[in-house]
Amino acid sequence: MAANKRIMKELAEINNNPLQGCTIKLAKEDDLNNWDVTMDGPPESPYAGGKFNIQIVLPKEYPFKPPVLTFKTKIYHPNVTNDDKGAMCLGMLRADEWKPPNKIVDVLKLVRAVLAAPQPDDAVEAGIANEFKTDRKAFDKTAQDWVKKYAK
Amino acid sequence: MSATSLRVVTVDFPNPEWVLGSNDQFHQVNTSISYWALGSHTPVTLSSHNAQPGNDITGLLYVPDLPSDDACSDAASPYVPNNVTRRSDLPDAGYDLIAIAPWLSPDCVQEYLRSARRDSARALISFLPNNSTAAPPNADDPSWALGDGEGWKNQNQYPVYAISGAEGNELMRWSAQYSGNVTDAPWGHDLTESGIDSRDYVRLFADISTGGGTALPSLWVFLLVVLGILLGIVGCTSFSMHILQRRRRVALRRRIASGEVDLEALGIKRLTVPQEVLDRMPLYTYGTGAPVPQPSTAREASNPDNPTTSTDPLPSVAEDKLSTSTASRPSSPDPNIRPTPALIRNHSYRPTPLQQPTCAICLDDFVPASEETPTGTIVRELPCHHIFHPECVDAFLRDSSSLCPMCKKSALPKGYCPRVVTNAMVRRERMMQGLRPEAGDEEDGNAESPWRRSRVRSWAVRRDGAGDGRRGVGRFFSAPVSGTSTTTADAERRGTAADGGQEMHQLPPPTARTRLGTSLARERRSVTQPARTPSHSNSQGQSRDPPIQPPATASRREWARERAVAMLGRERAPLDPDADEAERTSGWRKVVRGVFPGFGRR
């Protein structure tokens, strides 16, 4: 199982050299394809101080298909769907842009980057994106409120 | 043909002796002041000679004359009133006539038939003289036999029908009423009042309808005919479309074979690489960086007759860090693999360990062949020169996609054509063709469509790689770092990779090349997906941000991987178009497409 080998390798790598502000563990110990990530909101972003629970599901075809990323913690962000799923589909996470040499660490880096700088032009929540573009203050405030409410 | 109904009405027509030149001005007399009747039974067809289906038999009703001294005259007298309409009561002008006569003895019937033949009657209506209101017996009933077999049926040029005795008698009675002048006819006064010339003829007129052979009501016949015509049209159209589509499939197959159409890159068809094609792809031992002696170990094994290889001073050997695998190699997963001729490979760009130290799929390092490990990792090289572990990439190519996981270029040999070219593929290809000119129009004069452009670019890059010799490598693998010195240092840090280091030295500053590559990619992307461009380049930028410094620490592999990611083609990886289409096409649309292939674009 090349895929399992690779996933174990990535897991070992990330445990030996953890990404700043991220704690990673398997959701279930015997299931390599289900990762549980807790990510701190990047400082100097409205999400600072929040702890976001992110679930990463690696498809069977990984690394040929991108991992599926969902926010378990509610977050007010133009690129994360504002529903139970909390799905995020952006950049390298798209099926047609994914490349096998991309790693989960890269995905997490991307997530951090997107948390720090939302991509309103690539939004899944048009309303939030619009607010982000036109009324940045209100956006920041709502995002901070949500952090206090859900991500503590 | 058998009759389906009999209708008798009263008609008025002018006396041709008085009204010249207009002798067929038949008018049906208003039914409120004249006789009319619709037979209560379907007439029995005794002989259908000369009756045409669908053509009503019509004519003035009359009783054929019998020879005056004939015994039949007497026999018929109880059923034929004296003043019944005779031939002499009708004008001589050639009107259609229908005879009516009682079915008496065979001789008398023959007399009537003969008489009607003489008068050129169009049909003869007969009835058994029993005054029964029941339907007349069937045609094969013995009461209709004339003792000459069926001979009489063919003698007559007209059909013969039978009605019930009661109806026959009634017709006879009314015929007698309408045989004289208008004023003598029933409601004679009303008739003249209603504007009928008293010199006109007012007579009975019979209309025998004959249906089709299946005796279907005519509306159904009409509908069936219309349906049949429609089906015929549909069938013809479908047939010609199938022929046309077949021709298109052949043409598409030809164009695929000639390399003009790349099915998977255009998103027309998701292809996989069959095992036999996979087997023909070169497998190499991942070489060491050492210039002369190391690669020769493998090469000598493969070419024992050519010992000059090891001492060949040509730089190609020095830089040939990949050596062909051989059939004798014990670790080779497939002992039947034929190495690609070295000649061909010498003309193409070959990656070196420096560029691809890691299998992008499992992220394991390739182990070069060296003195300690004489058998290095076996690697599979795709036509795009990306190398992977065969166990990593083979299953993917065989089961999932024919595109290189790294650069999304097809791994199939040029001109490879799938066994089956479907109508759906033809349709998608035509759709692409339709899109291409449109895309071209939006750009400036000589601009090409994205597809065309990508092909041109990949060609240019490939050619660059080939023409530039081994240095073309740099075009592919430029590092996202700033400054030549770091690159050099990094290369040298790689220890034994001496000639790799040389190569790096020769390269122009990598930043420039990186920018070139990125801008190319960006440009292409802006053509294909203009709306998404900014955010994408952003997110990409951030995912690589900050620029990876040349590995100061151990992560040489990481650095190479990052470089690979940064440089990968931006081609969209097509999802499976067949599955996608099957999901999005409604059922009736599939049926229409089955009947009319090539109908509708999407």
Side-chain angles (χ1 to χ4, degrees):
Chain A
M1 284 298 283
N4 272 354
K5 209 176 91 186
R6 158 150 179 176
I7 296 171
M8 279 197 298
K9 198 182 173 80
E10 283 198 44
L11 194 61
E13 228 167 73
I14 209 163
N15 281 338
N16 291 342
N17 189 10
L19 198 64
Q20 191 204 345
C22 281
T23 42
I24 293 161
K25 60 177 196 305
L26 291 178
K28 276 177 278 172
E29 271 188 23
D30 54 347
D31 186 4
L32 279 172
N33 292 46
N34 230 322
W35 292 29
D36 240 353
V37 179
T38 311
M39 182 181 283
D40 295 341
E44 292 171 29
S45 79
Y47 308 103
K51 283 201 180 298
F52 298 94
N53 190 287
I54 303 168
Q55 189 188 45
I56 298 179
V57 176
L58 305 178
K60 272 204 298 291
E61 295 89 349
Y62 184 82
F64 300 110
K65 292 237 173 95
V68 179
L69 206 133
T70 51
F71 271 78
K72 291 286 145 196
T73 309
K74 253 172 112 68
I75 181 167
Y76 190 77
H77 193 284
N79 301 108
V80 181
T81 57
N82 188 8
D83 55 13
D84 313 343
K85 295 200 186 83
M88 184 185 212
C89 187
L90 192 62
M92 69 161 88
L93 285 171
R94 280 184 218 281
D96 52 353
E97 298 221 353
W98 174 257
K99 300 276 162 55
N102 287 329
K103 293 200 292 191
I104 311 276
V105 189
D106 303 316
V107 171
L108 292 175
K109 280 182 193 155
L110 171 74
V111 172
R112 271 187 86 82
V114 173
L115 285 190
Q119 307 284 313
D121 293 328
D122 214 359
V124 288
E125 291 290 338
I128 302 179
N130 204 31
E131 194 190 49
F132 178 80
K133 276 196 277 197
T134 55
D135 192 354
R136 185 65 188 268
K137 271 205 186 106
F139 167 83
D140 283 353
K141 184 160 186 319
T142 318
Q144 279 161 5
D145 286 351
W146 281 41
V147 168
K148 282 195 198 107
K149 223 153 110 192
Y150 302 107
K152 282 295 172 189
Chain B
M1 277 298 136
S2 50
T4 55
S5 69
L6 168 68
R7 195 167 63 103
V8 178
V9 295
T10 309
V11 293
D12 151 58
F13 57 99
N15 190 332
E17 288 172 30
W18 298 95
V19 183
L20 294 172
S22 56
N23 54 357
D24 22 278
Q25 294 174 333
F26 277 64
H27 302 290
Q28 184 182 341
V29 178
N30 191 337
T31 51
S32 61
I33 50 169
S34 68
Y35 173 77
W36 72 280
L38 188 63
S40 52
H41 304 290
T42 303
V44 170
T45 304
L46 301 181
S47 152
S48 60
H49 206 231
N50 270 355
Q52 298 299 320
N55 277 351
D56 282 12
I57 300 169
T58 56
L60 296 167
L61 205 62
Y62 84 108
V63 179
D65 291 320
L66 294 178
S68 55
D69 53 345
D70 195 268
C72 289
S73 292
D74 297 337
S77 57
Y79 313 105
V80 181
N82 278 332
N83 50 352
V84 83
T85 308
R86 296 283 180 177
R87 181 72 187 84
S88 55
D89 297 322
L90 297 170
D92 284 335
Y95 292 123
D96 288 340
L97 302 172
I98 290 181
I100 179 165
W103 195 271
L104 301 168
S105 66
D107 287 343
C108 294
V109 173
Q110 292 283 19
E111 284 290 338
Y112 276 122
L113 291 172
R114 206 174 301 127
S115 177
R117 278 206 296 278
R118 264 199 309 276
D119 298 331
S120 304
R122 293 198 62 208
L124 186 135
I125 299 170
S126 193
F127 55 94
L128 289 174
N130 53 9
N131 207 15
S132 156
T133 53
N138 284 333
D140 49 4
D141 192 271
S143 52
W144 303 116
L146 290 183
D148 64 344
E150 302 286 285
W152 62 274
K153 293 187 179 176
N154 295 327
Q155 274 174 9
N156 302 306
Q157 80 279 21
Y158 51 80
V160 180
Y161 303 103
I163 56 175
S164 70
E167 282 174 325
N169 284 334
E170 186 187 314
L171 282 183
M172 282 293 183
R173 264 200 320 277
W174 284 98
S175 177
Q177 308 249 26
Y178 284 104
S179 61
N181 293 328
V182 174
T183 45
D184 299 338
W187 300 289
H189 183 68
D190 296 329
L191 289 176
T192 47
E193 289 277 292
S194 68
I196 292 174
D197 196 306
S198 58
R199 292 166 304 193
D200 280 1
Y201 286 95
V202 176
R203 298 288 181 264
L204 292 185
F205 184 87
D207 181 334
I208 304 168
S209 307
T210 55
T214 50
L216 278 171
S218 55
L219 179 67
W220 286 106
V221 174
F222 173 75
L223 285 181
L224 279 181
V225 167
V226 169
L227 201 67
I229 291 172
L230 279 180
L231 275 179
I233 292 173
V234 166
C236 282
T237 317
S238 173
F239 182 72
S240 48
M241 275 180 139
H242 271 283
I243 292 205
L244 179 74
Q245 200 69 6
R246 189 192 158 83
R247 215 176 279 171
R248 285 184 186 156
R249 284 201 302 269
V250 171
L252 179 62
R253 178 175 286 275
R254 200 181 53 236
R255 285 167 60 214
I256 295 168
S258 71
E260 196 181 324
V261 176
D262 185 342
L263 286 177
E264 193 157 23
L266 293 187
I268 294 170
K269 170 80 182 157
R270 165 142 268 191
L271 297 174
T272 54
V273 183
Q275 185 64 47
E276 63 264 26
V277 176
L278 214 51
D279 289 343
R280 277 197 298 264
M281 277 181 202
L283 276 178
Y284 303 128
T285 302
Y286 191 74
T288 65
V292 184
Q294 254 72 10
S296 65
T297 50
R299 185 161 278 210
E300 271 169 359
S302 66
N303 299 333
D305 300 337
N306 188 9
T308 55
T309 321
S310 57
T311 53
D312 194 347
L314 282 177
S316 72
V317 177
E319 293 186 15
D320 184 9
K321 289 170 293 290
L322 293 172
S323 37
T324 53
S325 80
T326 65
S328 58
R329 186 177 310 286
S331 60
S332 168
D334 184 346
N336 295 322
I337 284 156
R338 283 175 295 138
T340 314
L343 245 184
I344 295 173
R345 289 194 296 115
N346 278 344
H347 284 291
S348 57
Y349 150 76
R350 269 161 292 149
T352 66
L354 278 186
Q355 277 89 45
Q356 301 185 66
T358 311
C359 173
I361 296 170
C362 65
L363 300 182
D364 266 349
D365 276 346
F366 297 124
V367 181
S370 64
E371 274 135 353
E372 304 91 63
T373 51
T375 52
T377 316
I378 307 288
V379 296
R380 171 83 73 199
E381 190 195 40
L382 304 191
C384 53
H385 305 293
H386 285 115
I387 57 176
F388 305 93
H389 291 119
E391 61 268 26
C392 291
V393 79
D394 282 10
F396 171 73
L397 290 176
R398 197 174 50 233
D399 304 332
S400 301
S401 166
S402 73
L403 300 185
C404 168
M406 297 282 283
C407 63
K408 312 287 188 211
K409 237 181 258 167
S410 178
L412 288 165
K414 221 179 158 98
Y416 173 83
C417 185
R419 200 159 295 145
V420 183
V421 176
T422 60
N423 285 339
M425 286 159 69
V426 172
R427 185 172 55 249
R428 282 190 288 261
E429 200 274 332
R430 282 172 62 75
M431 194 176 68
M432 289 297 178
Q433 265 184 344
L435 284 176
R436 269 182 259 184
E438 285 166 32
D441 290 344
E442 284 163 17
E443 294 166 37
D444 51 348
N446 64 343
E448 292 132 321
S449 64
W451 291 275
R452 188 69 174 273
R453 184 177 276 221
S454 81
R455 211 181 305 148
V456 167
R457 189 180 81 98
S458 60
W459 174 81
V461 170
R462 224 177 292 141
R463 203 172 142 248
D464 187 16
D468 215 13
R470 285 118 220 138
R471 277 197 42 210
V473 170
R475 202 134 179 68
F476 266 96
F477 291 87
S478 50
V481 296
S482 43
T484 324
S485 56
T486 48
T487 317
T488 312
D490 169 58
E492 279 170 353
R493 198 173 311 122
R494 249 158 272 154
T496 56
D499 64 55
Q502 270 169 28
E503 220 167 79
M504 293 308 235
H505 281 301
Q506 290 164 8
L507 298 173
T511 38
R513 275 175 284 111
T514 311
R515 220 170 283 135
L516 175 66
T518 319
S519 68
L520 253 176
R522 201 165 286 153
E523 184 190 359
R524 271 174 35 61
R525 208 135 39 85
S526 69
V527 173
T528 50
Q529 332 167 314
R532 282 162 46 181
T533 301
S535 55
H536 267 249
S537 46
N538 259 348
S539 67
Q540 284 292 333
Q542 280 164 357
S543 70
R544 294 201 303 267
D545 225 21
I548 306 299
Q549 290 304 311
T553 54
S555 59
R556 179 199 85 188
R557 193 208 303 156
E558 181 62 18
W559 174 76
R561 196 187 61 77
E562 291 283 349
R563 266 197 321 181
V565 172
M567 261 159 359
L568 288 179
R570 293 276 186 267
E571 268 94 341
R572 284 175 64 98
L575 305 168
D576 188 351
D578 279 331
D580 183 45
E581 188 172 296
E583 199 175 291
R584 292 203 300 183
T585 311
S586 53
W588 67 268
R589 202 145 195 185
K590 281 177 203 163
V591 171
V592 169
R593 276 184 188 157
V595 179
F596 300 118
F599 180 74
R601 287 232 133 141
R602 182 93 198 175

